[in-house]
Coordinates of all heavy atoms in Angstrom, one line a residue:
M1 N 184.6 186.5 48.3 CA 183.5 185.9 47.8 C 183.8 184.7 46.9 O 184.5 184.9 45.9 CB 182.7 186.9 47.0 CG 181.5 186.3 46.2 SD 180.8 187.6 45.2 CE 179.5 186.8 44.4
T2 N 183.5 183.5 47.2 CA 183.7 182.4 46.3 C 182.5 181.6 46.4 O 182.0 181.0 47.3 CB 184.9 181.4 46.8 OG1 184.6 181.2 48.2 CG2 186.1 182.2 46.8
D3 N 181.7 181.5 45.2 CA 180.6 180.6 45.0 C 180.8 179.7 43.8 O 181.1 180.2 42.7 CB 179.3 181.3 45.1 CG 179.1 182.3 43.9 OD1 179.7 182.1 42.8 OD2 178.4 183.3 44.0
G4 N 180.9 178.5 44.0 CA 181.1 177.6 43.0 C 182.6 177.8 42.4 O 183.5 177.7 43.2
N5 N 182.8 178.1 41.2 CA 184.0 178.1 40.4 C 184.5 179.6 40.2 O 185.3 179.7 39.4 CB 184.0 177.3 39.2 CG 183.8 175.8 39.4 OD1 183.9 175.4 40.5 ND2 183.6 175.1 38.3
W6 N 183.8 180.6 40.9 CA 184.2 181.8 40.7 C 185.4 182.2 41.5 O 185.5 181.9 42.7 CB 183.1 182.9 41.1 CG 181.9 182.9 40.1 CD1 180.7 182.1 40.4 CD2 181.8 183.5 39.0 NE1 179.9 182.3 39.3 CE2 180.5 183.2 38.4 CE3 182.6 184.5 38.3 CZ2 180.0 183.8 37.2 CZ3 182.2 185.0 37.1 CH2 180.9 184.6 36.6
Q7 N 186.5 182.9 41.0 CA 187.7 183.2 41.7 C 188.0 184.7 41.4 O 187.9 185.2 40.3 CB 188.9 182.4 41.1 CG 188.7 180.9 41.1 CD 188.7 180.3 42.5 OE1 189.6 180.9 43.3 NE2 187.9 179.5 42.8
E8 N 188.3 185.3 42.5 CA 188.7 186.7 42.5 C 190.1 186.8 41.8 O 191.0 186.2 42.3 CB 188.7 187.4 43.8 CG 189.0 188.9 43.8 CD 188.9 189.7 45.1 OE1 188.4 189.1 46.1 OE2 189.3 190.8 45.1
V9 N 190.2 187.7 40.7 CA 191.5 187.8 40.1 C 192.1 189.1 40.0 O 193.3 189.3 39.8 CB 191.4 187.2 38.7 CG1 191.1 185.7 38.7 CG2 190.3 188.0 37.8
A10 N 191.3 190.2 40.2 CA 191.9 191.5 40.0 C 190.9 192.6 40.7 O 189.7 192.2 41.1 CB 192.1 191.9 38.6
K11 N 191.3 193.8 40.7 CA 190.5 194.9 41.0 C 190.1 195.5 39.7 O 190.9 195.7 38.8 CB 191.1 195.9 42.0 CG 191.6 195.4 43.4 CD 190.4 195.0 44.1 CE 190.7 194.4 45.4 NZ 189.7 193.6 46.1
A12 N 188.9 195.9 39.5 CA 188.3 196.4 38.3 C 189.1 197.7 37.9 O 189.5 198.0 36.8 CB 186.8 196.8 38.4
D13 N 189.5 198.6 38.9 CA 190.3 199.8 38.6 C 191.6 199.6 38.0 O 192.2 200.4 37.5 CB 190.3 200.6 39.9 CG 189.1 201.2 40.3 OD1 188.1 201.3 39.6 OD2 189.0 201.7 41.5
D14 N 192.1 198.3 38.3 CA 193.5 198.1 37.7 C 193.4 197.7 36.2 O 194.6 197.6 35.6 CB 194.1 196.8 38.4 CG 194.4 197.2 39.9 OD1 194.5 198.4 40.2 OD2 194.5 196.2 40.7
I15 N 192.3 197.5 35.6 CA 192.2 197.1 34.2 C 191.7 198.4 33.4 O 190.5 198.8 33.5 CB 191.3 196.0 34.0 CG1 191.6 194.8 35.0 CG2 191.3 195.5 32.6 CD1 190.5 193.9 35.2
K16 N 192.7 198.9 32.7 CA 192.4 200.2 32.0 C 192.0 199.9 30.6 O 192.5 198.9 30.0 CB 193.6 201.0 32.0 CG 194.2 201.4 33.3 CD 193.3 202.1 34.1 CE 193.9 202.5 35.5 NZ 193.1 202.6 36.6
P17 N 191.1 200.8 29.9 CA 190.8 200.5 28.5 C 192.1 200.4 27.6 O 193.0 201.2 27.7 CB 190.0 201.7 28.0 CG 189.4 202.2 29.4 CD 190.5 201.9 30.4
D18 N 192.1 199.4 26.8 CA 193.2 199.1 25.8 C 194.6 198.9 26.5 O 195.6 199.0 25.8 CB 193.3 200.3 24.9 CG 192.0 200.4 23.9 OD1 191.4 199.4 23.7 OD2 191.8 201.6 23.4
E19 N 194.5 198.4 27.7 CA 195.7 198.0 28.5 C 195.5 196.7 29.2 O 195.2 196.6 30.4 CB 196.1 199.1 29.5 CG 196.5 200.4 28.8 CD 196.9 201.4 29.9 OE1 197.2 201.1 31.1 OE2 197.0 202.6 29.5
P20 N 195.5 195.5 28.5 CA 195.2 194.3 29.1 C 196.2 194.0 30.2 O 197.3 194.4 30.1 CB 195.2 193.2 27.9 CG 196.0 193.9 26.8 CD 195.9 195.4 27.0
I21 N 195.7 193.0 31.1 CA 196.6 192.6 32.1 C 196.5 191.1 32.1 O 195.5 190.5 31.8 CB 196.4 193.1 33.5 CG1 195.0 192.7 34.1 CG2 196.4 194.7 33.5 CD1 194.7 193.0 35.4
K22 N 197.6 190.4 32.6 CA 197.6 188.9 32.8 C 197.4 188.6 34.3 O 198.1 189.3 35.2 CB 199.0 188.4 32.3 CG 199.1 186.9 32.6 CD 200.5 186.5 32.1 CE 200.8 185.1 32.4 NZ 202.1 184.7 32.0
V23 N 196.6 187.6 34.5 CA 196.4 187.1 35.9 C 196.5 185.6 35.8 O 196.3 185.1 34.7 CB 195.0 187.5 36.5 CG1 194.9 189.0 36.6 CG2 193.9 187.1 35.7
T24 N 196.8 185.0 36.9 CA 196.9 183.5 37.0 C 195.8 183.1 38.0 O 195.8 183.6 39.1 CB 198.3 183.0 37.4 OG1 199.2 183.5 36.4 CG2 198.3 181.5 37.4
C25 N 194.9 182.1 37.6 CA 194.0 181.6 38.5 C 194.1 180.1 38.4 O 193.8 179.4 37.4 CB 192.6 182.0 37.9 SG 191.3 181.7 39.1
G26 N 194.6 179.6 39.5 CA 195.0 178.1 39.6 C 196.1 177.8 38.6 O 197.2 178.5 38.7
T27 N 195.8 177.1 37.6 CA 196.9 176.8 36.6 C 196.7 177.6 35.3 O 197.3 177.3 34.3 CB 196.9 175.2 36.3 OG1 195.7 174.8 35.9 CG2 197.3 174.5 37.6
E28 N 195.5 178.4 35.3 CA 195.2 179.1 34.0 C 195.8 180.6 34.0 O 195.6 181.2 35.0 CB 193.6 179.2 33.9 CG 192.8 177.9 33.9 CD 193.0 177.2 32.6 OE1 193.1 178.0 31.5 OE2 193.2 176.0 32.6
D29 N 196.4 180.8 33.0 CA 196.8 182.2 32.7 C 195.7 182.8 31.8 O 195.3 182.4 30.7 CB 198.2 182.2 31.8 CG 199.4 181.7 32.7 OD1 199.3 181.9 33.9 OD2 200.3 181.2 32.0
I30 N 195.3 184.0 32.4 CA 194.2 184.6 31.8 C 194.4 186.1 31.5 O 195.2 186.8 32.3 CB 193.0 184.6 32.8 CG1 192.6 183.1 33.1 CG2 191.7 185.4 32.3 CD1 191.6 182.9 34.2
A31 N 194.0 186.6 30.4 CA 194.1 188.0 29.9 C 192.8 188.6 30.3 O 191.8 188.1 29.9 CB 194.5 188.1 28.5
L32 N 192.9 189.8 30.9 CA 191.7 190.6 31.2 C 191.7 191.8 30.4 O 192.8 192.5 30.3 CB 191.7 191.0 32.7 CG 191.5 189.9 33.7 CD1 191.6 190.4 35.1 CD2 190.3 189.0 33.5
F33 N 190.6 192.2 29.8 CA 190.5 193.3 28.9 C 189.3 194.2 29.3 O 188.2 193.8 29.7 CB 190.1 192.9 27.4 CG 191.1 191.9 26.9 CD1 191.0 190.5 27.1 CD2 192.3 192.3 26.2 CE1 191.9 189.6 26.6 CE2 193.2 191.4 25.8 CZ 193.1 190.0 25.9
H34 N 189.5 195.6 29.2 CA 188.5 196.5 29.6 C 188.0 197.1 28.2 O 188.7 197.7 27.5 CB 189.0 197.6 30.4 CG 188.0 198.6 30.8 ND1 188.4 199.6 31.7 CD2 186.8 199.0 30.4 CE1 187.3 200.5 31.8 NE2 186.3 200.1 31.1
V35 N 186.6 196.9 27.9 CA 186.1 197.3 26.7 C 184.8 198.1 26.9 O 183.9 197.4 27.4 CB 185.9 196.2 25.6 CG1 185.3 196.7 24.4 CG2 187.2 195.4 25.4
D36 N 184.6 199.2 26.6 CA 183.5 200.0 26.8 C 182.9 199.9 28.2 O 181.6 199.6 28.3 CB 182.4 199.7 25.7 CG 183.0 200.0 24.3 OD1 183.7 201.0 24.1 OD2 182.7 199.2 23.4
G37 N 183.6 199.9 29.2 CA 183.1 199.8 30.6 C 182.9 198.4 31.0 O 182.4 198.2 32.2
E38 N 183.1 197.3 30.3 CA 183.0 195.9 30.7 C 184.3 195.3 30.7 O 185.2 195.7 30.0 CB 182.0 195.2 29.7 CG 180.6 195.6 29.7 CD 179.8 194.7 28.8 OE1 179.6 193.5 29.1 OE2 179.4 195.2 27.7
I39 N 184.5 194.2 31.5 CA 185.7 193.4 31.6 C 185.4 192.1 30.9 O 184.4 191.4 31.2 CB 186.1 193.2 33.1 CG1 186.1 194.6 33.8 CG2 187.4 192.4 33.1 CD1 187.2 195.4 33.3
F40 N 186.3 191.7 30.1 CA 186.3 190.4 29.4 C 187.5 189.6 29.7 O 188.5 190.2 30.0 CB 186.2 190.6 27.9 CG 184.9 191.2 27.5 CD1 184.9 192.7 27.4 CD2 183.7 190.6 27.2 CE1 183.7 193.3 27.1 CE2 182.6 191.2 26.9 CZ 182.5 192.6 26.9
A41 N 187.4 188.2 29.7 CA 188.6 187.4 30.0 C 188.7 186.3 29.0 O 187.7 185.7 28.6 CB 188.3 186.8 31.3
T42 N 190.0 186.1 28.5 CA 190.3 185.1 27.6 C 191.5 184.3 28.1 O 192.2 184.8 29.0 CB 190.6 185.5 26.2 OG1 191.9 186.2 26.2 CG2 189.5 186.5 25.6
H43 N 191.7 183.1 27.6 CA 193.0 182.4 27.9 C 194.1 183.5 27.4 O 193.9 184.1 26.4 CB 193.1 181.1 27.1 CG 194.2 180.3 27.5 ND1 194.4 179.7 28.7 CD2 195.3 180.0 26.7 CE1 195.5 179.0 28.8 NE2 196.1 179.1 27.6
D44 N 195.2 183.5 28.1 CA 196.2 184.5 27.8 C 197.2 184.1 26.7 O 197.7 185.0 26.1 CB 197.1 184.8 29.0 CG 198.0 185.9 28.8 OD1 197.8 187.0 28.3 OD2 199.3 185.6 29.1
I45 N 197.2 182.9 26.3 CA 198.2 182.4 25.3 C 197.6 182.3 24.0 O 196.6 181.7 23.7 CB 198.9 181.1 25.8 CG1 199.4 181.1 27.1 CG2 199.8 180.6 24.7 CD1 200.5 182.2 27.3
C46 N 198.3 183.0 23.0 CA 197.9 182.8 21.6 C 197.7 181.4 21.1 O 198.5 180.6 21.5 CB 198.8 183.6 20.7 SG 198.4 183.5 19.0
T47 N 196.7 181.2 20.3 CA 196.5 179.8 19.8 C 197.4 179.4 18.7 O 197.5 178.3 18.3 CB 195.1 179.5 19.4 OG1 194.8 180.5 18.3 CG2 194.1 179.7 20.5
H48 N 198.2 180.3 18.1 CA 199.1 180.1 17.0 C 200.4 179.8 17.5 O 201.1 178.9 17.0 CB 199.1 181.3 16.0 CG 200.1 181.3 15.0 ND1 201.1 182.1 15.1 CD2 200.2 180.5 13.9 CE1 201.9 181.8 14.0 NE2 201.5 180.9 13.3
A49 N 200.9 180.7 18.5 CA 202.3 180.5 18.9 C 202.3 181.0 20.4 O 201.3 181.7 20.8 CB 203.2 181.4 18.1
Y50 N 203.2 180.5 21.1 CA 203.2 180.7 22.6 C 203.7 182.2 22.9 O 204.9 182.5 22.9 CB 204.2 179.8 23.3 CG 203.9 179.8 24.8 CD1 203.0 178.9 25.3 CD2 204.7 180.6 25.6 CE1 202.8 178.9 26.7 CE2 204.4 180.6 27.0 CZ 203.5 179.8 27.5 OH 203.2 179.7 28.9
A51 N 202.6 183.0 23.0 CA 202.8 184.5 23.3 C 201.7 185.0 24.2 O 200.5 184.5 24.0 CB 202.9 185.3 22.0
S52 N 202.0 185.8 25.1 CA 201.0 186.3 26.0 C 200.3 187.4 25.3 O 200.8 188.4 24.8 CB 201.7 187.0 27.3 OG 200.8 187.7 28.1
L53 N 198.9 187.3 25.4 CA 198.1 188.3 24.7 C 198.0 189.5 25.5 O 197.7 190.6 25.0 CB 196.6 187.7 24.4 CG 196.7 186.6 23.3 CD1 195.3 185.9 23.2 CD2 197.1 187.1 22.0
A54 N 198.2 189.4 26.8 CA 198.3 190.6 27.7 C 199.4 191.5 27.3 O 199.4 192.6 27.6 CB 198.4 190.3 29.2
A55 N 200.5 190.9 26.6 CA 201.5 191.7 26.2 C 201.2 192.2 24.7 O 202.1 192.9 24.2 CB 202.8 190.9 26.1
G56 N 200.1 191.9 24.2 CA 199.8 192.3 22.8 C 199.2 193.7 22.8 O 199.1 194.4 23.8
F57 N 198.8 194.2 21.6 CA 198.3 195.4 21.4 C 196.7 195.3 21.3 O 196.2 194.6 20.5 CB 198.7 196.0 20.0 CG 198.1 197.3 19.6 CD1 198.4 198.5 20.3 CD2 197.2 197.3 18.6 CE1 197.8 199.7 19.9 CE2 196.6 198.5 18.3 CZ 196.9 199.8 18.9
Q58 N 196.0 195.9 22.3 CA 194.6 196.0 22.3 C 194.0 197.3 21.7 O 194.5 198.4 22.1 CB 194.0 195.8 23.8 CG 192.5 195.7 23.8 CD 191.9 195.8 25.2 OE1 192.6 195.7 26.2 NE2 190.6 196.1 25.3
E59 N 193.0 197.1 20.9 CA 192.3 198.3 20.3 C 190.9 197.9 20.4 O 190.4 197.1 19.7 CB 192.8 198.7 19.0 CG 192.2 200.1 18.6 CD 192.7 200.6 17.2 OE1 193.5 199.7 16.6 OE2 192.5 201.6 16.9
G60 N 190.1 198.6 21.3 CA 188.7 198.2 21.5 C 188.5 196.7 21.9 O 189.2 196.2 22.7
G61 N 187.7 196.1 21.1 CA 187.3 194.8 21.3 C 188.3 193.7 20.7 O 187.9 192.6 20.7
E62 N 189.4 194.1 20.2 CA 190.4 193.2 19.6 C 191.7 193.4 20.2 O 192.1 194.4 20.7 CB 190.5 193.5 18.1 CG 189.3 193.4 17.3 CD 189.5 193.8 15.7 OE1 190.6 194.0 15.4 OE2 188.5 193.8 15.1
V63 N 192.4 192.2 20.2 CA 193.8 192.1 20.7 C 194.6 191.5 19.7 O 194.2 190.5 18.9 CB 194.0 191.4 22.0 CG1 193.5 189.9 21.9 CG2 195.3 191.6 22.6
E64 N 195.8 192.1 19.4 CA 196.7 191.6 18.4 C 197.9 190.9 19.1 O 198.5 191.4 20.0 CB 197.3 192.8 17.6 CG 198.2 192.3 16.5 CD 198.7 193.6 15.7 OE1 198.0 193.9 14.8 OE2 199.8 194.0 16.0
C65 N 198.2 189.6 18.7 CA 199.3 188.9 19.2 C 200.6 189.6 19.0 O 200.8 190.1 18.0 CB 199.3 187.5 18.6 SG 200.8 186.5 19.2
P66 N 201.5 189.7 20.0 CA 202.7 190.4 19.9 C 203.7 189.7 19.0 O 204.7 190.4 18.5 CB 203.2 190.6 21.3 CG 202.6 189.4 22.0 CD 201.3 189.2 21.4
L67 N 203.5 188.5 18.6 CA 204.6 187.7 17.8 C 204.2 187.8 16.3 O 205.1 188.2 15.6 CB 204.6 186.3 18.2 CG 205.3 185.9 19.5 CD1 205.3 184.4 19.7 CD2 206.7 186.4 19.5
H68 N 203.0 187.5 15.9 CA 202.8 187.3 14.5 C 201.6 188.2 14.0 O 201.1 187.9 12.9 CB 202.6 185.9 14.2 CG 203.7 185.1 14.4 ND1 203.8 184.1 15.4 CD2 205.0 185.0 13.8 CE1 205.0 183.5 15.4 NE2 205.7 184.1 14.5
E69 N 201.0 189.1 14.9 CA 200.0 190.0 14.4 C 198.7 189.5 14.2 O 197.8 190.1 13.6 CB 200.5 191.0 13.3 CG 201.8 191.8 13.6 CD 202.4 192.5 12.6 OE1 201.9 192.3 11.5 OE2 203.3 193.3 12.8
G70 N 198.4 188.2 14.5 CA 197.1 187.6 14.5 C 196.2 188.4 15.5 O 196.6 188.7 16.5
R71 N 194.9 188.5 15.1 CA 194.0 189.3 16.1 C 192.9 188.4 16.5 O 192.4 187.5 15.7 CB 193.5 190.5 15.3 CG 194.6 191.5 15.1 CD 193.9 192.8 14.6 NE 192.7 192.9 13.8 CZ 192.7 192.6 12.4 NH1 193.8 192.5 11.8 NH2 191.6 192.5 11.8
F72 N 192.4 188.7 17.7 CA 191.3 187.9 18.3 C 190.2 189.0 18.7 O 190.6 190.0 19.2 CB 191.7 187.2 19.5 CG 192.7 186.0 19.2 CD1 194.1 186.3 19.3 CD2 192.3 184.7 18.9 CE1 194.9 185.3 19.0 CE2 193.2 183.8 18.6 CZ 194.5 184.0 18.7
N73 N 188.9 188.6 18.7 CA 187.9 189.3 19.4 C 187.9 188.9 20.9 O 187.8 187.8 21.2 CB 186.5 189.0 18.7 CG 185.4 189.7 19.4 OD1 185.2 189.7 20.6 ND2 184.6 190.2 18.5
V74 N 188.1 189.9 21.7 CA 188.2 189.6 23.1 C 186.8 189.3 23.8 O 186.8 188.7 25.0 CB 188.9 190.7 24.0 CG1 190.3 190.9 23.4 CG2 188.1 192.0 24.0
K75 N 185.8 189.6 23.2 CA 184.4 189.4 23.7 C 184.0 187.9 23.5 O 183.4 187.3 24.4 CB 183.3 190.3 23.2 CG 183.6 191.7 23.5 CD 182.6 192.7 22.8 CE 182.8 194.1 23.3 NZ 181.7 195.0 22.6
N76 N 184.3 187.3 22.3 CA 183.9 186.0 22.1 C 185.1 185.1 21.7 O 184.8 183.8 21.5 CB 182.9 186.0 20.9 CG 183.4 186.5 19.7 OD1 184.6 186.5 19.5 ND2 182.5 187.1 18.8
G77 N 186.3 185.5 21.7 CA 187.4 184.7 21.5 C 187.7 184.3 20.1 O 188.8 183.7 19.8
R78 N 186.9 184.8 19.2 CA 187.0 184.5 17.8 C 188.3 184.9 17.1 O 188.7 186.0 17.4 CB 185.8 185.0 17.0 CG 185.6 184.3 15.6 CD 184.4 184.8 14.9 NE 184.7 186.2 14.4 CZ 183.8 187.1 14.1 NH1 182.6 186.9 14.4 NH2 184.2 188.2 13.8
A79 N 189.0 184.1 16.4 CA 190.2 184.4 15.6 C 189.7 185.3 14.4 O 188.7 185.0 13.8 CB 190.9 183.1 15.0
L80 N 190.4 186.4 14.2 CA 189.9 187.4 13.2 C 190.8 187.5 11.9 O 190.3 187.9 10.9 CB 189.9 188.8 13.8 CG 189.0 188.9 15.0 CD1 189.0 190.3 15.6 CD2 187.5 188.6 14.5
C81 N 192.1 186.9 12.0 CA 192.8 187.0 10.7 C 194.1 186.1 10.9 O 194.4 185.7 12.0 CB 193.3 188.5 10.5 SG 194.6 189.0 11.7
A82 N 194.6 185.8 9.6 CA 195.8 184.9 9.7 C 197.0 185.6 10.4 O 197.0 186.9 10.5 CB 196.2 184.7 8.3
P83 N 197.9 184.9 11.1 CA 198.0 183.5 11.0 C 197.1 182.6 12.0 O 197.1 181.4 11.9 CB 199.4 183.3 11.3 CG 199.7 184.3 12.2 CD 198.9 185.5 11.8
V84 N 196.3 183.3 12.7 CA 195.5 182.6 13.8 C 194.3 182.0 13.1 O 193.6 182.7 12.4 CB 195.2 183.4 15.0 CG1 196.4 183.8 15.8 CG2 194.4 184.6 14.7
T85 N 194.0 180.8 13.4 CA 192.8 180.1 12.8 C 191.9 179.5 14.0 O 190.6 179.3 13.7 CB 193.2 179.0 11.8 OG1 194.0 178.0 12.6 CG2 193.9 179.5 10.6
E86 N 192.5 179.3 15.1 CA 191.7 178.7 16.3 C 191.4 179.9 17.2 O 192.3 180.8 17.6 CB 192.6 177.7 16.9 CG 191.9 177.0 18.0 CD 192.8 176.0 18.7 OE1 193.8 175.5 18.1 OE2 192.5 175.6 19.9
G87 N 190.2 179.9 17.8 CA 189.7 180.9 18.7 C 190.3 180.7 20.1 O 190.9 179.6 20.3
L88 N 190.1 181.7 20.9 CA 190.5 181.6 22.3 C 189.4 181.0 23.2 O 188.3 181.3 23.0 CB 190.9 182.9 22.8 CG 192.1 183.7 22.1 CD1 192.1 185.1 22.6 CD2 193.4 183.0 22.5
K89 N 189.8 180.4 24.2 CA 188.9 180.1 25.4 C 188.5 181.3 26.0 O 189.4 182.2 26.3 CB 189.6 179.1 26.3 CG 188.7 178.6 27.5 CD 189.4 177.7 28.3 CE 188.5 177.2 29.5 NZ 189.1 176.2 30.3
I90 N 187.2 181.5 26.3 CA 186.8 182.7 27.0 C 186.3 182.3 28.4 O 185.8 181.1 28.5 CB 185.8 183.5 26.2 CG1 184.5 182.8 25.9 CG2 186.3 184.1 25.0 CD1 183.4 183.5 25.3
Y91 N 186.2 183.2 29.3 CA 185.8 183.0 30.6 C 184.7 183.9 31.0 O 184.7 185.1 30.6 CB 187.0 183.1 31.7 CG 188.1 182.1 31.4 CD1 189.1 182.5 30.5 CD2 188.1 180.9 32.0 CE1 190.1 181.7 30.3 CE2 189.2 180.1 31.7 CZ 190.2 180.5 30.9 OH 191.3 179.6 30.7
E92 N 183.7 183.5 31.7 CA 182.7 184.4 32.3 C 183.1 185.3 33.3 O 184.1 184.8 34.2 CB 181.6 183.5 32.9 CG 180.2 184.2 33.1 CD 179.1 183.3 33.5 OE1 179.2 182.0 33.3 OE2 178.1 183.8 34.1
V93 N 182.8 186.5 33.3 CA 183.3 187.6 34.2 C 182.2 188.2 35.0 O 181.2 188.5 34.4 CB 184.2 188.6 33.4 CG1 184.7 189.7 34.4 CG2 185.3 188.0 32.8
K94 N 182.4 188.5 36.3 CA 181.5 189.4 36.9 C 182.3 190.4 37.9 O 183.5 190.0 38.2 CB 180.5 188.6 37.8 CG 181.0 187.8 38.9 CD 179.9 187.1 39.7 CE 180.4 186.3 40.7 NZ 179.3 185.5 41.4
V95 N 181.8 191.5 38.0 CA 182.4 192.5 38.9 C 181.5 192.8 40.1 O 180.2 193.0 40.0 CB 182.7 193.8 38.2 CG1 183.3 194.8 39.1 CG2 183.6 193.6 37.0
D96 N 182.0 192.6 41.3 CA 181.2 192.8 42.5 C 182.1 193.7 43.5 O 183.2 193.3 43.9 CB 181.0 191.4 43.2 CG 180.1 191.5 44.3 OD1 179.3 192.5 44.5 OD2 180.1 190.5 45.2
N97 N 181.5 194.7 43.9 CA 182.2 195.7 44.8 C 183.6 196.1 44.3 O 184.5 196.0 45.2 CB 182.2 195.1 46.3 CG 180.9 195.2 46.9 OD1 180.1 196.0 46.6 ND2 180.5 194.2 47.7
G98 N 183.8 196.2 43.1 CA 185.1 196.6 42.5 C 186.1 195.5 42.3 O 187.1 195.7 41.8
A99 N 185.6 194.3 42.7 CA 186.5 193.1 42.5 C 186.1 192.3 41.2 O 184.9 192.3 41.0 CB 186.5 192.2 43.7
V100 N 187.1 191.9 40.4 CA 186.7 191.2 39.2 C 186.9 189.6 39.5 O 187.9 189.2 40.1 CB 187.7 191.5 38.1 CG1 187.5 190.7 36.9 CG2 187.7 193.0 37.8
F101 N 185.9 188.9 39.2 CA 185.8 187.5 39.4 C 185.7 186.7 38.1 O 185.0 187.2 37.2 CB 184.5 187.1 40.2 CG 184.6 187.5 41.7 CD1 184.2 188.9 41.9 CD2 185.0 186.7 42.7 CE1 184.2 189.4 43.2 CE2 185.2 187.2 43.9 CZ 184.7 188.5 44.2
V102 N 186.4 185.6 37.9 CA 186.4 184.8 36.6 C 185.9 183.5 37.0 O 186.3 182.9 38.1 CB 187.8 184.8 36.0 CG1 187.8 183.9 34.8 CG2 188.2 186.2 35.6
K103 N 184.9 182.9 36.2 CA 184.5 181.6 36.4 C 185.3 180.6 35.7 O 185.5 180.6 34.5 CB 183.1 181.4 36.0 CG 182.3 180.1 36.4 CD 181.0 180.1 36.1 CE 180.2 178.9 36.7 NZ 178.8 179.0 36.4
I104 N 186.0 179.8 36.6 CA 187.0 178.8 36.0 C 186.3 177.4 35.8 O 185.5 177.0 36.7 CB 188.2 178.6 36.8 CG1 188.9 179.9 37.0 CG2 189.2 177.5 36.4 CD1 189.5 180.4 35.7

């Protein structure tokens, strides 16, 4: 299924609660998060230092950068504490027949 800028990136069953995964879509590295039965997508790289957020610690709707412990809200990308001050780019997500699509 491809309509417009939607790209299939994963299977919904592969994304477990509090276990983010990294996917690449074109040139974008994206982190996928499972929160309360929904899938959310953000840019995978921390805005403070070059670190993969999919390798970070997720608890509910927040992910902590593995380098400097800055946290982000995975639903809206907002930076939640120092040292991060800039929010993350977020991507629209839809799930269709068990497949996860991200709008790039």
Side-chain angles (χ1 to χ4, degrees):
M1 172 182 181
T2 56
D3 61 30
N5 295 350
W6 289 99
Q7 301 292 320
E8 183 175 352
V9 294
K11 299 294 180 200
D13 290 345
D14 293 339
I15 309 162
K16 309 294 184 212
D18 296 335
E19 295 180 19
I21 67 168
K22 176 183 173 181
V23 296
T24 302
C25 190
T27 61
E28 299 287 323
D29 288 330
I30 298 170
L32 299 175
F33 305 91
H34 181 171
V35 180
D36 298 327
E38 292 185 71
I39 307 296
F40 296 91
T42 71
H43 189 67
D44 182 54
I45 304 302
C46 178
T47 58
H48 170 254
Y50 195 86
S52 170
L53 294 174
F57 174 73
Q58 180 192 350
E59 186 170 15
E62 296 182 7
V63 64
E64 182 178 277
C65 175
L67 284 184
H68 299 109
E69 301 175 352
R71 292 190 328 273
F72 297 93
N73 180 309
V74 301
K75 295 180 180 182
N76 60 25
R78 196 176 73 202
L80 299 174
C81 69
V84 296
T85 57
E86 182 182 339
L88 295 169
K89 181 177 181 179
I90 60 171
Y91 299 90
E92 195 174 340
V93 175
K94 67 180 176 182
V95 179
D96 186 22
N97 289 327
V100 178
F101 294 83
V102 173
K103 189 171 189 178
I104 300 298

